[in-house]
Amino acid sequence: MRTRRTIEIASLVIAVGLAAACGSNASGPAGARALANDADASAQGPLGGGDAAVPILGVSDGGTMGTAPVQPTGPVTDFPQPVLDGNAPPSSPSLFGPPTQGAASGGPCLVEPESDVVYPQNWLRPRFTWTAANGENLFELRLHVANQIDDLLVYTTNMTWTMPQASWDALRTHSPTEAMTLSVRGAVLSGGALQGEALGASTPMGVAPVQATGAIVYWTTDDSTTGTAALKGFSPGDETVEEVLNPTEYGQAQNATSTTCIGCHTSAPDGEFVAITTTTAAEQQWSDALALIDPDAGTVGTAPSYVSTSGAQALAQWNVGAVAFSPAHWATGDRHAVGLTWIDLEATSVATASGTVARNGDTQLAGAPAWSHDGSTIAYVSTNRVCTGRLGNCTPQYAAPADVGSRADLYAVPYAGGAGGTATPVQGASDPSAQEYYPSFSPDDQWLVFNRAPNDDNLYDQPAAEIYVVPASGGTPTRLAANDPPSCSGVTSPGITNSWGKWGPTALHANGNTYYWIVFSSKRAGTVPQLYVTALIQAADGSIQTHGALYLWNQPSTEANHTPAWDTFKVPPQPAPM
């Protein structure tokens, strides 16, 4: 029997390719709400640092821990001695010499972390990975930190190194917001001497003064142990993932034993249940259901007790597509879901269980809704392509990259108690020369993150997709820097299926800045999608900075992980990192 802890940790629920389902500056919205106390400081580093006490790190029940900003200290000496790793000889520091020694180019390509990443203060300890050039077999990894007296120096014969937990704990407590530069050099060690020493990639990185909240649950289509699909999860800092729900558990709990696929899931605001889109082996029709993922609250896969028979029937209508929820409409007597219909999960009759959300002025089809946290607005995709509830065309086959004639834009409509109203295009996300789709509201409802792809491209699993943000009230869109892999990797976007951005569940305020976290999937590392996290930092003047992509190295690299949601799920505790 599984047991889970109740925590609020970055939660992403990832639905994958179901066979027939589902660093720039820009002006931002004024008056963005902070969800934690501001710890303003007069002296700020590159990420907005200042002086304050360092809180205890970690996550506690209820998600109340980890919202206090952590400020830098020092100068400090956390890295007094070089690290020798693999078969690196003790003479490595003297062989490499001063930091500028070696050819100015032609060295290793740093692929992890990517350029200009910002780590949440409570995140998984950093892993560094690079590729060799010209037969290099000995490497120097250097991390220069503004408030550290000594650089972190690692000499290794390997092409990956993971920071020990003790070193990460020191860095994340002593140096948040401090300027950091990561670099790597390589050479061929032969006969006790170096040949062909060359400087490789160099990039800024940083640690935020705030943590990430929520819990991460994702969908994989090909569990490496069982070969089947499953929902898996982890919390910030966990180095492994855990299964939280599979089709068999759902089928047995809800008498739906023919179910073979669950996906396109979203979080119920209580964090105990997910809304999933389900189908059978034939994959002809798709219906929605709510399923428990917290075993401490009952049998995994069961439906919540508050869902009435009429509410369950309304939710299970064929080919509605993924539904959305709002915390503003999640209390006894007011538990609702929206597609582009509204669904009363507690309805006492079929006649009162669902109804149409009017979209006056928009005559297109609609899909992929997002519901604002304050419950007032539904953002959705106005399109001429919807198939079995998901965006895209059934003909040609859903996975074909091209779909001539496909069009999609973001619209917004008031919820108004389910009545809807006038639908209006979202300025900056309704460009007639491109397709915009898969919207998601930031936790303070100030921003929308969305996919953008060329017209005439299939919306499903689209290689040309890239991720943008725009003020939720409309404005100038900003392309995320996280779309781009390291330039030395030879991989470029568009072409790597950057898709399905979802926000972390809390926007935290520190030193006058608001910190947001976004998770998304990408095929930049190969043929299967993997998960990445990136930071968006909004300054007091409303301008934003976007940053590079942070690979989640605790996910199985051979499994397909994508279509995330990020919320307050419950996931099992994992062994403490070493």
Side-chain angles (χ1 to χ4, degrees):
M1 179 177 177
R2 302 183 198 149
T3 58
R4 288 176 173 75
R5 57 183 173 181
T6 301
I7 57 175
E8 186 182 59
I9 295 212
S11 162
L12 43 124
V13 178
I14 315 288
V16 281
L18 305 175
C22 43
S24 59
N25 295 320
S27 177
R33 292 187 287 119
L35 303 186
N37 291 333
D38 187 357
D40 288 312
S42 58
Q44 296 191 12
L47 298 179
D51 295 325
V54 176
I56 298 173
L57 302 178
V59 179
S60 68
D61 287 353
T64 57
M65 189 87 170
T67 58
V70 180
Q71 307 294 358
T73 58
V76 292
T77 308
D78 291 330
F79 313 118
Q81 300 293 330
V83 176
L84 297 178
D85 179 65
N87 296 317
S91 59
S92 295
S94 60
L95 289 173
F96 272 97
T100 57
Q101 180 173 301
S105 61
C109 174
L110 186 67
V111 295
E112 182 189 350
E114 298 185 8
S115 179
D116 194 27
V117 300
V118 176
Y119 286 82
Q121 200 269 338
N122 60 333
W123 206 245
L124 187 69
R125 59 193 175 124
R127 187 178 75 175
F128 306 94
T129 304
W130 54 91
T131 57
N134 304 315
E136 297 159 338
N137 59 11
L138 184 64
F139 308 93
E140 178 198 78
L141 182 73
R142 180 184 295 267
L143 179 62
H144 177 77
V145 184
N147 72 333
Q148 295 282 345
I149 294 175
D150 302 299
D151 290 350
L152 169 63
L153 286 168
V154 179
Y155 296 93
T156 180
T157 53
N158 299 314
M159 287 186 287
T160 185
W161 182 77
T162 304
M163 185 179 290
Q165 188 65 39
S167 298
W168 174 229
D169 288 343
L171 182 67
R172 69 193 180 119
T173 54
H174 296 154
S175 301
T177 75
E178 290 292 294
M180 302 182 188
T181 303
L182 179 67
S183 58
V184 62
R185 287 191 285 175
V188 176
L189 178 64
S190 178
L194 292 188
Q195 300 173 3
E197 182 178 353
L199 279 65
S202 177
T203 180
M205 60 172 277
V207 177
V210 298
Q211 301 193 3
T213 64
I216 295 181
V217 179
Y218 68 88
W219 171 260
T220 179
T221 50
D222 50 1
D223 179 275
S224 57
T225 301
T226 64
T228 60
L231 292 181
K232 296 184 177 184
F234 65 93
S235 304
D238 286 348
E239 296 194 358
T240 57
V241 300
E242 186 79 11
E243 183 178 292
V244 298
L245 182 67
N246 61 51
T248 299
E249 289 173 317
Y250 162 75
Q252 291 177 345
Q254 300 202 24
N255 194 28
T257 54
S258 61
T259 298
T260 58
C261 197
I262 55 176
C264 294
H265 14 297
T266 52
S267 170
D270 56 25
E272 294 185 337
F273 293 87
V274 291
I276 52 177
T277 303
T278 73
T279 191
T280 63
E283 295 180 345
Q284 296 299 313
Q285 306 291 347
W286 295 79
S287 61
D288 294 328
L290 277 164
L292 181 70
I293 63 169
D294 179 11
D296 295 337
T299 302
V300 169
T302 55
S305 59
Y306 50 74
V307 175
S308 66
T309 300
S310 297
Q313 290 176 352
L315 191 63
Q317 297 174 83
W318 281 350
N319 302 331
V320 170
V323 297
F325 302 95
S326 173
H329 294 279
W330 199 255
T332 301
D334 181 23
R335 287 192 174 95
H336 285 76
V338 296
L340 265 300
T341 61
W342 57 263
I343 299 170
D344 181 353
L345 298 173
E346 300 166 299
T348 56
S349 69
V350 173
T352 61
S354 65
T356 300
V357 177
R359 299 179 290 116
N360 301 330
D362 180 17
T363 60
Q364 296 281 68
L365 302 173
W371 197 357
S372 62
H373 297 78
D374 66 8
S376 65
T377 305
I378 302 170
Y380 68 94
V381 181
S382 174
T383 180
N384 59 351
R385 296 290 195 268
V386 176
C387 173
T388 60
R390 62 161 180 82
L391 301 181
N393 205 348
C394 290
T395 305
Q397 205 269 345
Y398 72 95
D403 184 5
V404 176
S406 179
R407 298 291 186 270
D409 290 308
L410 296 194
Y411 273 60
V413 66
Y415 175 63
T422 300
T424 56
V426 177
Q427 181 184 357
S430 54
D431 185 342
S433 67
Q435 298 186 96
E436 298 92 357
Y437 56 108
Y438 294 157
S440 175
F441 280 99
S442 64
D444 54 9
D445 292 333
Q446 296 297 305
W447 297 91
L448 286 169
V449 63
F450 62 95
N451 276 25
R452 180 174 173 145
N455 286 334
D456 301 317
D457 279 357
N458 191 348
L459 301 179
Y460 184 83
D461 196 25
Q462 176 50 244
E466 294 192 310
I467 300 175
Y468 285 69
V469 295
V470 70
S473 59
T476 301
T478 299
R479 179 183 180 273
L480 296 189
N483 284 296
D484 297 317
S487 58
C488 61
S489 70
V491 179
T492 59
S493 181
I496 53 176
T497 320
N498 293 316
S499 184
W500 205 279
K502 299 293 179 180
W503 303 86
T506 313
L508 294 177
H509 219 194
N511 314 315
N513 296 323
T514 304
Y515 290 79
Y516 301 90
W517 307 105
I518 298 172
V519 64
F520 67 99
S521 67
S522 177
K523 293 182 180 178
R524 66 189 62 195
T527 58
V528 297
Q530 293 278 280
L531 303 178
Y532 297 79
V533 164
T534 188
L536 185 151
I537 303 173
Q538 182 176 2
D541 64 3
S543 63
I544 61 172
Q545 291 183 342
T546 72
H547 291 267
L550 182 59
Y551 178 66
L552 305 182
W553 61 261
N554 54 346
Q555 66 187 309
S557 61
T558 59
E559 297 180 357
N561 310 320
H562 59 135
T563 53
W566 190 339
D567 223 305
T568 56
F569 291 113
K570 285 79 177 174
V571 299
Q574 303 294 317
M578 302 299 292

